[in-house]
Every structure is written in C-alpha cells, then in structure tokens.
Amino acid sequence: MNIIQSPSPNFNSRGGYKPEVIVVHCTDGSFPGDLNHLRNPKPGTATGPVSAHYLLAPSGEIHQLVSLRNASWHAGRVLNPTAPVKKKLIGYVNPNFYTIGIEVSMKAAALMSQAQLVSLHWLIKELCAKHSIPLDRDHIWGHKEIFAAKTCPGTIDVGVLVRDMSQIPVTSP
C-alpha cells in the first residue's frame, strides 16, 4: 500500500520510549481540512497545535504526518483513563511518548468509508507486525479511553475493530 508523506511540524522526541500502543481517533472534520489542521503549527485552537502519525482520507489514502521515531501530538492529556496508561510517581507518562496516533477523517457521528476501514485494518496490522505490538485491546485504544471527556473515536468501535482484525485476514487495498 502506498503511504503519502505529508509532514507536520507538530511533534517532539519520544523521550526514550518506543511505540507500543496504537490510538484510534476520528477527526470530527472533513478532508482535506483535517490534513491542513494536523499540519498547522498555529491552528488558533484552545489546545494548540495537534498532529497524528497517520491520517486516513475518505478515499482510503493513508497520509503519514509524523515519523514513528517521534511523538505526534494526539493524546497528551489523561483524564479518568480506562486504558492501561503508564503511570509515574505523580500522574501519568504522556501517552504521546509510547503511542502511535491514527486519525480517521470523518465526523464523529458518521461511519468510516469502506476504503477507510480496509486501510485502517491494513495499517494497524502493519504497525503491529513492525513494532511487535500485540493485536489486542490492551494495545489498541480509542482516544476516549485515555481522556474520558472525549467522544473520539466517534462511531469507531475499537473492540469490534480488534476482533475483526484478529479473525479476518487483511489484504492490501
């Protein structure tokens, strides 16, 4: 599968951590505006600049915005987590340090396109294989499992996503 390089300046060091978890998001926007937003160093939002490692367009195109050697800015805040986030003496380790962020360009109440679903399955399986990440719910999270005030990833049921990927062989689209 072809991955389009669409670099974002919004990243920093992983702080010595390696990727061990994948976080699935929905943008709650539309493409190509989502791509522009994730690449904008001064978006004018209350949370400041954001990014992700990957963005899936409605056509199924996969855009890589941040190298996996770096931390993208997709899940840095932690609030009442239900996922097994890393703890430190006081508080939590910033999840951006040890996660890979995948944004699906779609409104939160909408459904992914079939092309996005196929690309998401393919990308997650590739990332899991490359980084020795187990294909299970302890290692694939929805954003709201880190930050409870979010509804992200919208209609994407991460439990069903993981179940389906472990049962159905995925071929490159």
Side-chain angles (χ1 to χ4, degrees):
M1 169 163 284
N2 183 36
I3 296 177
I4 300 164
Q5 297 301 311
S6 303
S8 172
N10 304 331
F11 65 88
N12 59 314
S13 164
R14 283 196 178 273
Y17 290 88
K18 66 179 187 80
E20 55 188 79
V21 172
I22 295 171
V23 180
V24 178
H25 302 265
C26 70
T27 60
D28 201 24
S30 58
F31 192 85
D34 295 331
L35 178 62
N36 295 331
H37 179 69
L38 292 167
R39 297 173 66 202
N40 188 345
K42 297 178 182 179
T45 65
T47 58
V50 294
S51 62
H53 291 95
Y54 297 94
L55 173 67
L56 277 59
S59 66
E61 284 180 342
I62 301 172
H63 292 261
Q64 183 169 12
L65 289 77
V66 174
S67 166
L68 294 175
R69 290 185 303 273
N70 296 311
S72 65
W73 300 341
H74 66 100
R77 300 182 298 161
V78 178
L79 175 68
N80 301 325
T82 57
V85 296
K86 292 182 179 288
K87 295 181 181 179
K88 54 186 182 178
L89 191 56
I90 299 174
Y92 300 95
V93 173
N94 182 334
N96 290 335
F97 291 156
Y98 58 91
T99 62
I100 297 171
I102 301 174
E103 291 274 0
V104 180
S105 184
M106 60 182 259
K107 294 288 187 182
L111 297 175
M112 274 189 287
S113 71
Q114 184 62 33
Q116 284 173 316
L117 180 61
V118 169
S119 291
L120 184 58
H121 280 191
W122 179 85
L123 181 59
I124 289 174
K125 283 198 169 190
E126 287 290 311
L127 293 170
C128 286
K130 181 176 182 178
H131 296 281
S132 300
I133 299 172
L135 184 55
D136 62 30
R137 286 294 282 125
D138 286 337
H139 297 89
I140 302 174
W141 307 338
H143 189 188
K144 66 185 174 187
E145 295 173 81
I146 299 169
F147 194 78
K150 293 277 187 181
T151 58
C152 176
T155 60
I156 301 171
D157 185 325
V158 177
V160 170
L161 182 73
V162 170
R163 182 199 70 208
D164 289 352
M165 284 190 304
S166 63
Q167 294 176 355
I168 302 168
V170 176
T171 57
S172 181

